Every structure is written in C-alpha cells, then in structure tokens.
Amino acid sequence: PRRILSGIQASGALHLGNYLGALKRFVALQDEAPLFVFVADLHAITVWQDPAVLTAQTREIAAAYIASGLDPDKAVIFPQSAVPQHAELAWVFNCVARLGWLDRMTQFKEKSGKHKERASVGLYTYPVLQAADILLYKATEVPVGEDQKQHLELTRDIAAKFNTDFGRPGYFPLPEPVIQGPATRVMSLRDGAAKMSKSDPSDQSRINLTDDADAIVAKVRKAKTDPEPLPETVEGLDGRPEAKNLVAIYAALSDSTAAEVIARFGGQGFGAFKPALAELAVEALAPVTAEMRRLMADPAEIDRALAKGAEQARAIAEVTVAEVKDIVGFWRAP
Ligand code: TYM
C-alpha cells in the first residue's frame, strides 16, 4: 500500500524553496494516499537551537503545513520528538549503516565546514535518523527537494541491508524519492549557483514565508539577472542560471511549466517579467502568510493538531518497533 511521508526541519524561517519544493507538493498529495508530515525537531538540534525558539519554530512549521492547505483531519501532522520510536529505530540503524556510507554525505561536509571535529555527532548521523523517520512508517514515497536525494539513497541502502542482514526480504520497503515539478531546486535570488537556503546570511537571497508584500516585491526587483531579455525557447535558458531560476519559480507558482512561461514572456525584458513574477508571488503567498499569522496568534489549534497527529503516528510507530525488536532479537516481556 502507498504511504507518503516527509518532514521539514525546525530550524530557521521557511522560504520559497521549502514552499515550492515541499509544502505545496504535500498538499497535492494528501488526497492520493495516507500522508505523514512531521516537524523534524530532533534533526534541528544537530546544530545549536535556542530552546524557546525551537518550540516556537516547531509551531510555526506546523502552522505552515496547515496554512498551505494540509488538512489535519486527512494528513497526520506531528513533531518528531513526540514519537520516541524515531530515536529508537535510529539506534538500530546506526548499527546497520556503515561509516563509509556516511562519509560520502555531501550535506555533512557542507554543514560541518572547515572544522568537522567540532560538529556534533548528531550532525554526522543525521541521515540515519532520517532513514528511521521514513522506514518507521514503511513509507513508499517521499516528496522532497533535490537536495535530499542523497539522503534518500542512503535510506534505501539501510532498508536493503537491514532486510538482508536479518533475512527478512521485503520487510522494509525501499522508498521512492519523489522529486518532481519545476522547482525542485530553487536558487538564491542573489546567486544563481547557490541554493535558496535558511542558512544564507543574506536575507535578500530568499523570500521568506513571513515576508510581507512590500518585501517580496523589493526582493524580486533586486534579484540578480543578466542583461538579456528572456529567450524565445526553454533551451535558451541554459547557461543563464538566474533567468532559469526566476522562470522556474514563476512556473511552480502558476502550476505551469517553464515552456509555458517562456511561451508567454519570451523576448520580454526583466523590466516586464519581474513585476509579473512579484505579483504572482504575492498573490500565492499572502493567503498562506496571513493564515500562518492567524494560527500563530493563538497556538491552541496548532497544539491540538500536533497532539492528535502524534497519537496517530505513535500507534503505527509502536507496531514497527515491536516488530523490529523481535527481528533483531531484543528481549520482550512474554
Ligand atoms: P529541510 O528542512 O532543509 O527542507 C525541507 C524541504 O524543503 C526542500 N528544500 C528545497 N526545495 C527546493 N529548493 C530549495 N532551495 C529548497 N530548500 C529546501 C527540501 O528538499 C525538503 O524537502 N533532512 C530534511 C528533513 C527531513 C526529512 C526526513 C525529509 C528529516 N527527516 C524524512 C523527508 C523525509 C531537511 O533538512 O529538509
């Protein structure tokens, strides 16, 4: 049976990349199959988080899920730390995954920077916890942005090795990464070679889900571009990363393709395209932002959704961990 799962880290403000690469796509999937979306607070603390900020950010991500259109009566929305089985299964997977596999993870190399001996041990085993998040629910599909591809390959490796080591072919399904649509890798507005990211020190590089209309308009107007008008064909975007990025954002926001955007704006300059893009972005994001603000003003509704989701998630997680304990040979009270 299909089961769809994904998560967003509770660290830093959400931006347009998270919205187009993840949030907006979750909403489209909630009617297709059971959908589990969680707030990855265990992952967040792999780098220092102020405790009060972490709590607020957990609620903010839950608010973003609901404000984007996820219905807590359909999707199971929960904080990762409220389901202790994530950490429990991650330990077993720490003993399945190999050091050599983790040594290849590019995200650890990027995040740990020059002084990897000062990174937390959690940052290193981060992808093992991610595998536990996914396999705990025996998820078959994981919608994510392009940057998570390597972590999903590791998840599949862990599932396969567990199944082989314990002689249980097919016990864990090998989940499919679902990396689709025009905006699987939204780039920085300041640098077409860098990913739009929470950790970019320049706020001008990204559109945050909390930005108001004026901020969005200003950021799009100042977005880096080249001096040429938009090309007449999609192929003409090759070698023009900034133009390509803005076209991809327009396509994703308008549920169309880059070809359709080019059919409409090809030959026009950025003086015409940027205001159209800004207007579209404001139109798409303003209702989400407003609903997030409303939800955050009184977190009771968010807290109720998270508590209910955690209970539903735990019911499934408990079954998997009981099975895993038997498979591994841990003693259980008869
Ligand atoms: P995180 O919190 O960094 O990002 C959340 C989601 O947003 C996507 N994303 C982007 N998509 C397009 N363009 C961008 N510039 C961009 N930046 C981020 C990410 O690909 C992701 O889908 N490790 C995960 C969280 C996680 C998870 C999981 C995901 C933990 N456990 C299990 C799936 C399944 C992360 O850090 O995402």
Side-chain angles (χ1 to χ4, degrees):
R2 288 178 70 189
R3 207 178 256 174
I4 308 170
L5 173 139
S6 199
I8 296 182
Q9 265 197 88
S11 54
L14 290 165
H15 54 71
L16 186 65
N18 301 128
Y19 180 69
L20 296 176
L23 283 162
K24 188 171 148 71
R25 294 175 50 233
F26 302 162
V27 179
L29 292 167
Q30 69 180 335
D31 295 312
E32 285 191 18
L35 174 66
F36 295 77
V37 285
F38 61 94
V39 184
D41 52 358
L42 299 178
H43 279 109
I45 66 163
T46 56
V47 297
W48 170 252
Q49 303 293 329
D50 179 271
V53 175
L54 180 65
T55 315
Q57 235 140 38
T58 300
R59 290 199 177 104
E60 190 171 298
I61 291 179
Y65 283 145
I66 298 170
S68 307
L70 286 181
D71 175 353
D73 289 326
K74 284 188 202 156
V76 180
I77 303 173
F78 61 99
Q80 187 186 26
S81 64
V83 184
Q85 288 80 7
H86 287 250
E88 219 175 337
L89 186 59
W91 177 258
V92 175
F93 287 170
N94 270 329
C95 303
V96 172
R98 304 289 95 181
L99 277 177
W101 300 359
L102 290 184
D103 280 338
R104 286 198 290 274
M105 295 293 118
T106 55
Q107 189 175 294
F108 176 76
K109 287 178 198 162
E110 282 158 24
K111 287 202 181 174
S112 58
K114 280 192 216 98
H115 299 285
K116 89 170 171 17
E117 64 285 358
R118 286 186 216 160
S120 74
V121 176
L123 190 67
Y124 187 68
T125 62
Y126 177 118
V128 176
L129 177 60
Q130 184 161 345
D133 299 336
I134 297 167
L135 298 173
L136 189 53
Y137 303 92
K138 299 181 180 161
T140 55
E141 289 156 69
V142 185
V144 283
E146 177 73 41
D147 59 354
Q148 294 302 311
K149 198 169 176 208
Q150 198 184 34
H151 288 165
L152 289 198
E153 279 158 13
L154 185 92
T155 299
R156 292 168 63 93
D157 290 343
I158 289 176
K161 188 169 190 308
F162 180 95
N163 293 348
T164 328
D165 284 357
F166 294 99
R168 290 302 206 98
Y171 175 71
F172 282 121
L174 306 192
E176 289 297 335
V178 184
I179 303 171
Q180 276 168 6
T184 56
R185 188 174 174 83
V186 176
M187 307 308 280
S188 154
L189 298 179
R190 307 299 308 157
D191 175 1
K195 188 179 69 170
M196 185 178 285
S197 134
K198 297 171 201 182
S199 52
D200 193 316
S202 164
D203 192 59
Q204 297 298 313
S205 71
R206 65 185 158 260
I207 292 174
N208 303 302
L209 280 195
T210 47
D211 283 346
D212 60 19
D214 292 345
I216 295 175
V217 170
K219 285 177 182 180
V220 173
R221 183 167 13 92
K222 283 190 228 132
K224 187 177 167 200
T225 49
D226 56 43
E228 302 298 317
L230 284 171
E232 306 279 355
T233 63
V234 183
E235 293 71 39
L237 289 168
D238 290 344
R240 299 179 60 187
E242 287 86 9
K244 193 174 186 157
N245 187 41
L246 296 185
V247 167
I249 292 172
Y250 193 102
L253 284 170
S254 59
D255 295 310
S256 57
T257 61
E260 285 165 323
V261 178
I262 287 299
R264 181 155 159 217
F265 291 99
Q268 297 188 34
F270 287 102
F273 181 63
K274 280 181 167 181
L277 175 60
E279 194 186 333
L280 178 65
V282 170
E283 206 177 284
L285 298 181
V288 178
T289 310
E291 178 65 358
M292 272 176 77
R293 289 222 181 88
R294 187 191 69 78
L295 288 162
M296 293 295 286
D298 172 11
E301 193 180 332
I302 301 171
D303 289 347
R304 263 198 309 278
L306 288 175
K308 179 178 143 188
E311 206 175 307
Q312 291 173 296
R314 268 194 304 266
I316 297 169
E318 278 166 5
V319 175
T320 306
V321 163
E323 289 169 353
V324 166
K325 284 185 167 182
D326 285 345
I327 292 172
V328 172
F330 290 153
W331 178 88
R332 279 211 294 143

